[in-house]
Amino acid sequence: MGSAASAAVPPPPPPAQSQAGAPPYGPGLAGILPPRPQGEEKEEKVDYLNLPCPVPFEEIQREALMSLKPELFEGLSYSNSFHSVFMGSLEVPAQSSETIKVPTAHYEFGANFLDPKLMLIGRVMTDGRLNARVKCDLTENLTLKVNAQLTQEAHYSQGMFNFDYKGSDYRTQFQIGNNAFYGANYIQSVTPNLSMGTEIFWLGHQRKSGIGFASRYNTDKMVGTLQVASTGIVALSYVQKVSEKVSLASDFMYNQMSKDVTASFGYDYLLRQCRLRGKIDSNGVVAAYLEERLNMGVNFLLSAEIDHCKKNYKFGFGMTVGE
């Protein structure tokens, strides 16, 4: 009897098939969730054994420095590959808040030797200073850099030797300089976008030492950096790439020793024939730097910096040829 009744009752209809595009997640809260994007079905795995090589430790803020630290000058400047002329003023330290400027001018003659594995640059100035730079690729990964400045004044000559080693996902540098200076730094890629490093130094004549830590996070649209040193300095920078031609930058610096806090905001705007950079900081200093390309290899320069608090105003114009 029961089996016959069961046979007479039709079986329940099968569950309705989900419509095209409906989430096949099942009943409950999961059934009302939005559909999964196709690109997120498989997360990209990071190959930690094949990370990119980071930027050198001393260049982790290079994008921010391009906007916030342009090469400002005051007066008239002209330079090419071998000659340089400058006429302007030199700031002299003073106890008062006002800035004291002394007119100055100098001529500079130079010689260059460029080779795929060797670069030699020398400059001689009319005031007796001699500047020299050497870069030599000892191997594919090891590079020697030498910077030297010789002057007629006692104890003002300087020299520095840098040994840079570039690995597959790290960089390291060892420095030796005059006044018994020794330094070393190391930076390592932690992820494809994050790199972290540290540095130490010892200044023998002054019996001072220090250690610092730094990190850098970069993507296609932004770069952020953080630096902390035992000397009491904390520095942060951030660069946002708005478009292919416009970048915005900001930085923050705190000095525990002097209790100084400085923040600045800058921009970098690339036009078809020129490049405009500028900044404004928390001390009220406003600066702008313009590079106008007049012809192939010929650039016209305009530089301006205004500091109302110290009544210090700097304006300059110049030209570079063949650089």
Side-chain angles (χ1 to χ4, degrees):
M1 182 74 177
S3 60
S6 300
V9 178
Q17 298 293 331
S18 59
Q19 299 178 356
Y25 295 150
L29 182 61
I32 63 175
L33 292 177
R36 294 179 181 175
Q38 296 181 358
E40 295 184 0
E41 293 181 357
K42 295 182 180 179
E43 296 183 358
E44 183 179 355
K45 295 184 179 180
V46 178
D47 185 5
Y48 290 98
L49 298 179
N50 191 24
L51 295 175
C53 186
V55 300
F57 188 90
E58 66 272 15
E59 296 182 12
I60 62 173
Q61 290 186 339
R62 61 186 182 185
E63 291 85 359
L65 295 178
M66 289 295 294
S67 302
L68 302 174
K69 304 292 183 182
E71 298 179 1
L72 302 173
F73 62 95
E74 181 180 14
L76 170 65
S77 174
Y78 171 82
S79 64
N80 58 23
S81 300
F82 303 98
H83 306 275
S84 176
V85 178
F86 174 78
M87 293 183 292
S89 59
L90 178 66
E91 294 186 6
V92 178
Q95 296 181 354
S96 61
S97 59
E98 295 185 0
T99 303
I100 300 177
K101 299 182 179 182
V102 177
T104 183
H106 64 257
Y107 167 76
E108 181 179 300
F109 175 77
N112 306 325
F113 176 81
L114 302 178
D115 186 76
K117 292 187 177 182
L118 179 62
M119 180 182 69
L120 304 175
I121 298 178
R123 296 290 184 268
V124 179
M125 305 178 67
T126 53
D127 58 2
R129 284 182 295 172
L130 171 63
N131 298 325
R133 291 170 52 196
V134 178
K135 180 182 178 183
C136 179
D137 294 334
L138 302 178
T139 65
E140 285 189 12
N141 298 327
L142 182 60
T143 302
L144 169 64
K145 297 179 182 179
V146 181
N147 294 319
Q149 183 182 64
L150 304 178
T151 65
Q152 297 178 351
E153 302 178 7
H155 308 293
Y156 277 90
S157 298
Q158 298 179 356
M160 181 73 69
F161 292 83
N162 298 336
F163 295 90
D164 299 344
Y165 186 83
K166 177 183 177 181
S168 59
D169 59 355
Y170 68 93
R171 289 178 184 264
T172 184
Q173 182 185 73
F174 180 69
Q175 299 173 319
I176 303 176
N178 60 329
N179 297 324
F181 174 83
Y182 302 94
N185 59 62
Y186 177 86
I187 186 168
Q188 170 76 54
S189 290
V190 182
T191 69
N193 302 107
L194 177 64
S195 57
M196 305 181 71
T198 182
E199 67 172 344
I200 57 174
F201 73 89
W202 165 255
L203 192 57
H205 283 193
Q206 300 182 9
R207 299 292 179 181
K208 290 184 179 181
S209 63
I211 184 172
F213 300 93
S215 62
R216 171 188 168 100
Y217 185 85
N218 64 282
T219 64
D220 295 336
K221 294 293 185 180
M222 57 80 64
V223 177
T225 65
L226 167 65
Q227 286 184 286
V228 180
S230 60
T231 53
I233 295 180
V234 179
L236 299 93
S237 70
Y238 178 81
V239 178
Q240 179 68 45
K241 190 175 182 180
V242 181
S243 66
E244 293 294 330
K245 297 183 178 181
V246 181
S247 298
L248 302 178
S250 62
D251 71 344
F252 173 86
M253 181 173 291
Y254 170 69
N255 191 330
Q256 185 182 12
M257 301 298 180
S258 60
K259 304 300 180 182
D260 290 337
V261 180
T262 306
S264 60
F265 172 81
Y267 59 89
D268 190 348
Y269 189 19
L270 290 173
L271 297 173
R272 188 172 63 90
Q273 290 290 118
C274 72
R275 181 177 187 177
L276 178 62
R277 289 176 284 173
K279 71 160 189 174
I280 181 172
D281 61 22
S282 56
N283 295 323
V285 180
V286 182
Y289 187 78
L290 173 67
E291 297 175 84
E292 177 77 20
R293 188 178 65 180
L294 302 180
N295 203 341
M296 184 66 65
V298 180
N299 296 328
F300 177 69
L301 309 177
L302 283 178
S303 174
E305 184 179 30
I306 300 176
D307 188 351
H308 288 293
C309 297
K310 296 182 179 180
K311 298 181 180 180
N312 188 10
Y313 311 101
K314 301 178 182 179
F315 299 94
F317 62 95
M319 181 174 293
T320 62
V321 179
E323 292 189 353

